[in-house]
Amino acid sequence: MRIYGLILAGGRATRMGGVDKGLQLFRGRPLALNAFERLKPQTDEILLSANRSEEAYRRMLPAGTKILPDLRPDFAGPLAGLEAAMSCIPEGERKKAWLVTVPCDCPFFPENLVESLKESGTPAVAAAGGRLQPSFLWVPASFLPRLSAYLDSGERKLGLWARQAGCLEVNFPDAAAFQNCNSFEELSFAEALSAPSRKGSVSV
């Protein structure tokens, strides 16, 4: 098995006035870089979904990091980023490749995220605090045809696709670890927090 981590940074960030969210600073570092450093120890390779600011990301991230624009126009959502990531994996490798997705704007996501999702033994999606966390998916690259068909149908919702794909919910104990930053106010609030507990038991 080869594990790819996919950082989702390809959105419009409308609640931040349209800035590139992955480049906004969190405790002095870009959000996307924070996500990269947090996810790298859990994976074999990191991919970045981004639809703009390619040169800025290339300067920021280690050389050789794949920066992937959507294959579809008009900011088609995080699943379009996942589609692009699956498509970049050579066809012969897809049967053994898995991807874990994380949004760039969630600075405290668990350091045992991959370990916990992988232990489910099946495609999985994170949950915490009684809520699904659909941006945190664990799926095989071989799901590419069904993902493309879902997007071709006009659907975009992450949670709906996770359920249709048979993803098992894996419950994490600390909901604060999944706090995201959709606005500058939320980003400032997160900066003021101590990092929540990153590990702990999970249930499925």
Side-chain angles (χ1 to χ4, degrees), residues 114-177:
V114 175
E115 175 188 357
S116 299
L117 294 175
K118 183 181 174 183
E119 281 181 354
S120 69
T122 183
V125 59
R131 296 179 58 188
L132 199 67
Q133 304 292 335
S135 296
F136 295 86
L137 291 170
W138 167 250
V139 290
S142 61
F143 274 17
L144 175 60
R146 69 175 69 183
L147 174 57
S148 294
Y150 179 82
L151 291 169
D152 288 344
S153 75
E155 291 287 354
R156 296 289 183 267
K157 293 180 180 178
L158 273 168
L160 178 60
W161 184 77
R163 291 188 174 93
Q164 289 186 5
C167 292
L168 184 70
E169 289 187 27
V170 175
N171 290 289
F172 287 77
D174 190 354

Side-chain angles (χ1 to χ4, degrees), residues 7-177:
I7 300 169
L8 300 169
R12 295 181 187 274
T14 54
R15 281 179 279 182
M16 282 189 171
V19 300
D20 195 325
K21 190 186 293 185
L23 299 177
Q24 304 312 300
L25 298 183
F26 172 76
R27 296 179 179 172
R29 296 186 304 165
L31 280 165
L33 181 59
N34 178 80
F36 184 100
E37 293 175 348
R38 202 169 185 84
L39 191 58
K40 179 59 178 171
Q42 305 184 49
T43 63
D44 297 307
E45 183 176 345
I46 299 289
L47 311 171
L48 178 75
S49 167
N51 289 306
R52 48 186 168 159
S53 309
E54 179 178 350
E55 288 306 313
Y57 282 120
R58 290 201 184 282
R59 290 192 299 269
M60 181 183 76
L61 298 174
T65 302
K66 292 185 178 69
I67 300 169
L68 306 171
D70 294 348
L71 303 177
R72 299 169 186 265
D74 301 325
F75 294 85
L79 285 177
L82 179 57
E83 179 188 42
M86 289 179 171
S87 298
C88 89
I89 299 171
E91 187 173 356
E93 297 179 14
R94 287 180 197 152
K95 290 184 178 180
K96 295 184 178 180
W98 284 69
L99 297 98
V100 61
T101 66
V102 302
C104 68
D105 64 352
C106 186
F108 303 125
F109 68 81
E111 292 179 333
N112 65 340
L113 177 72
V114 175
E115 175 188 357
S116 299
L117 294 175
K118 183 181 174 183
E119 281 181 354
S120 69
T122 183
V125 59
R131 296 179 58 188
L132 199 67
Q133 304 292 335
S135 296
F136 295 86
L137 291 170
W138 167 250
V139 290
S142 61
F143 274 17
L144 175 60
R146 69 175 69 183
L147 174 57
S148 294
Y150 179 82
L151 291 169
D152 288 344
S153 75
E155 291 287 354
R156 296 289 183 267
K157 293 180 180 178
L158 273 168
L160 178 60
W161 184 77
R163 291 188 174 93
Q164 289 186 5
C167 292
L168 184 70
E169 289 187 27
V170 175
N171 290 289
F172 287 77
D174 190 354

Side-chain angles (χ1 to χ4, degrees), residues 25-29 31 34 38 105-109 174-198:
L25 298 183
F26 172 76
R27 296 179 179 172
R29 296 186 304 165
L31 280 165
N34 178 80
R38 202 169 185 84
D105 64 352
C106 186
F108 303 125
F109 68 81
D174 190 354
F178 294 91
Q179 176 183 328
N180 61 359
C181 304
N182 283 315
S183 66
F184 287 115
E185 290 77 15
E186 290 175 347
L187 182 59
S188 296
F189 180 75
E191 285 194 317
L193 293 176
S194 298
S197 174
R198 300 176 177 88

